Amino acid sequence: MLTRLFPALLVVTLAGCQSTSAAPSGDAAAGTNASAGASVTASASGEASGQAAPAAAAAEPQSFDQWLAGFRDQARAEGISEATLARALDGLRYRPRVIELDGSQPEFVRPIWQYLDTAVSNARVTQGRDKLAANRAAADRAEADYGVPAEVLTAIWGIESNYGQNFGDFSTLEALATLAYDGRRRDFARGELMAALEIIDAGDITPQRMKGSWAGAMGHTQFIPSSFVAYAKDGDGDGRRDIWASIPDVMASTANYLDRAGWRQGEPWGVEVQLPSGFDYAQTELDTRKSASAWAGLGVSPLGGGDLPAFDEASVITPAGARGPAFLVGPNFRAILRYNNATSYALAVASLSDRIAGRAGIEGGWPRDEQPLSRTQVKTLQSRLQALGYEVGTPDGIMGPNTRAGLRAWQRDQGLVPDGFATLNLLERLSH
């Protein structure tokens, strides 16, 4: 699932993958929920400020059909043909289920190790090797054209849709029209609906075949329409870009996106590392970047020995704190994050691609005895840290960088390892 022109964060919660192993929302290392537009824009009625609404605002709300008629006029003015408007919009239905999904936010989030157990299961590795073997020519052609390894393209395919087995059966047009009329991010959905009409108008796909997730992510590797318009490629030379049925198009489009996101040919995504005793965990944020030689000077070393990859800019991440594995990640890891801005997702793609290629997966153990916090518990933790004078911002239930920094400061003052990894034990200790 993708965004046009690489906004700072991908729409993870809004456009959640159709894979059975969707990345945990509220990913602690990436702050994924910020990308979902969690804050609701104040309405013109003045409701957010508590002011009385003007009398004109009390007018009867538009019906879906009335809204769709207005959207049709706008699409016509923007150059969409009458034939496309008729094929795409005639009989379009409002889908209440889409709004239910748009409004849902899970209280409990799977810890990263449970997510990776599914996302990088032995069955998915085996199937990935089989799928790559069956589509080797298309994957190798995409790798030759864009420099992105075939196993990375295959891994994204596996994570996003379980190799095409589950990319969604919602009508993209109905889903986006419903969201544009009644969703949390109406302007975004309206723009995506217009892009979907552009795709149909160009002859790439018919309205009936344009299917995907409830939020408009489409095809084998879950492009949203604006990303399709910007980055989809015709990999099989038939004159159309078909990410629903043409694996060459899927491979070429996915590789083009990663190439445009800054993929560096010939570089690894990163490496699992050992951290020295007394390491400063305040440095384990993606926006802290140093050369590999600088990290080596701080005592960071590859888990299996040898030298660190020769990154000019790399970050150390510890997605499960000091008791979990540590990784040194470079520009290609950040390119994967442009596809889906969750550290758990990027780590799944990276690990799955390694295993498909026959390399080792993640070797370090996870703190499986730890109980991560629910969103409500994270809000409680944030409130308590704030009350103790540790600045974390407004409690929102998301373990973002400010919350991790505040938690590390409290841990340091308590004589604990300041890794910023929130657990039930820490919350209970904060309560006393």
Side-chain angles (χ1 to χ4, degrees):
M1 37 189 179
L2 309 174
T3 51
R4 175 182 266 174
L5 301 182
F6 308 126
L9 294 175
L10 188 73
V11 186
V12 175
T13 302
L14 176 66
C17 354
Q18 287 301 299
S19 166
T20 56
S21 58
S25 59
D27 183 273
T32 61
N33 209 55
S35 68
S39 61
V40 179
T41 303
S43 69
S45 68
E47 178 181 284
S49 64
Q51 298 173 352
E60 192 70 23
Q62 267 190 325
S63 70
F64 177 72
D65 289 341
Q66 289 171 326
W67 177 89
L68 191 60
F71 177 82
R72 184 190 293 255
D73 290 341
Q74 181 191 6
R76 183 182 296 111
E78 294 194 16
I80 303 298
S81 69
E82 289 294 340
T84 293
L85 292 174
R87 288 189 302 141
L89 301 183
D90 285 357
L92 207 65
R93 300 172 298 165
Y94 175 84
R95 298 291 300 274
R97 177 59 178 156
V98 168
I99 299 303
E100 291 176 16
L101 292 167
D102 185 45
S104 65
Q105 187 179 51
E107 168 66 11
F108 293 96
V109 178
R110 283 188 301 167
I112 185 172
W113 50 88
Q114 288 183 9
Y115 165 61
L116 292 173
D117 287 346
T118 303
V120 195
S121 66
N122 289 335
R124 185 163 284 176
V125 172
T126 299
Q127 191 175 8
R129 291 171 179 165
D130 291 344
K131 288 291 185 180
L132 179 54
N135 296 279
R136 174 58 76 175
D140 284 351
R141 190 179 313 117
E143 180 174 351
D145 288 344
Y146 300 101
V148 183
E151 60 267 19
V152 172
L153 302 176
T154 306
I156 287 179
W157 184 19
I159 300 297
E160 289 290 346
S161 70
N162 200 19
Y163 307 109
Q165 296 180 64
N166 188 24
F167 59 68
D169 59 2
F170 282 90
S171 160
T172 299
L173 295 167
E174 289 187 341
L176 289 172
T178 299
L179 291 168
Y181 169 68
D182 202 19
R184 292 178 298 122
R185 304 187 67 209
R186 299 180 190 184
D187 289 344
F188 172 82
R190 186 184 186 103
E192 293 303 316
L193 181 58
M194 192 69 72
L197 293 182
E198 292 178 37
I199 296 166
I200 294 167
D201 212 35
D204 286 306
I205 196 72
T206 65
Q208 293 73 29
R209 288 188 57 224
M210 184 180 272
K211 292 186 178 293
S213 78
W214 64 266
M218 310 179 302
H220 284 266
T221 49
Q222 297 285 276
F223 277 41
I224 59 172
S226 61
S227 291
F228 183 103
V229 170
Y231 307 112
K233 291 292 183 180
D234 174 15
D236 59 14
D238 68 352
R240 295 183 302 109
R241 300 173 295 175
D242 184 354
I243 61 170
W244 295 265
S246 169
I247 300 305
D249 290 6
V250 170
M251 293 293 183
S253 299
T254 307
N256 181 49
Y257 185 93
L258 289 173
D259 176 46
R260 297 281 295 278
W263 189 273
R264 295 190 186 182
Q265 186 172 1
E267 287 191 8
W269 62 267
V271 63
E272 192 171 353
V273 295
Q274 290 179 314
L275 302 181
S277 176
F279 183 79
D280 179 9
Y281 282 87
Q283 299 187 85
T284 59
E285 295 285 348
L286 284 165
D287 59 2
T288 299
R289 301 179 186 180
K290 305 177 189 292
S291 67
S293 59
W295 285 116
L298 294 173
V300 176
S301 61
L303 188 62
D307 297 326
L308 296 173
F311 295 134
D312 54 1
E313 281 193 340
S315 303
V316 170
I317 58 172
T318 53
R323 294 184 58 210
F327 307 90
L328 182 77
V329 298
N332 288 343
F333 191 85
R334 292 193 287 272
I336 299 170
L337 286 171
R338 292 291 183 91
Y339 208 102
N340 180 324
N341 196 44
T343 299
S344 51
Y345 174 90
L347 197 56
V349 170
S351 179
L352 181 58
S353 68
D354 280 345
R355 293 194 58 197
I356 289 172
R359 298 185 290 271
I362 297 170
E363 297 181 25
W366 298 96
R368 294 177 181 270
D369 58 321
E370 293 284 11
Q371 184 175 338
L373 304 184
S374 69
R375 294 186 185 277
T376 296
Q377 289 169 330
V378 170
K379 290 180 73 172
T380 300
L381 177 136
Q382 291 168 324
S383 296
R384 289 176 181 168
L385 286 171
Q386 193 77 21
L388 290 171
Y390 299 95
E391 184 60 44
V392 299
T394 303
D396 59 3
I398 305 300
M399 282 298 302
N402 289 339
T403 302
R404 291 194 297 275
L407 180 57
R408 288 189 187 108
W410 175 83
Q411 288 174 308
R412 189 176 295 110
D413 290 345
Q414 298 295 310
L416 305 173
V417 176
D419 61 2
F421 183 59
T423 65
L424 187 59
N425 286 334
L426 285 181
L427 178 59
E428 291 173 347
R429 185 161 177 165
L430 261 169
S431 303
H432 295 87

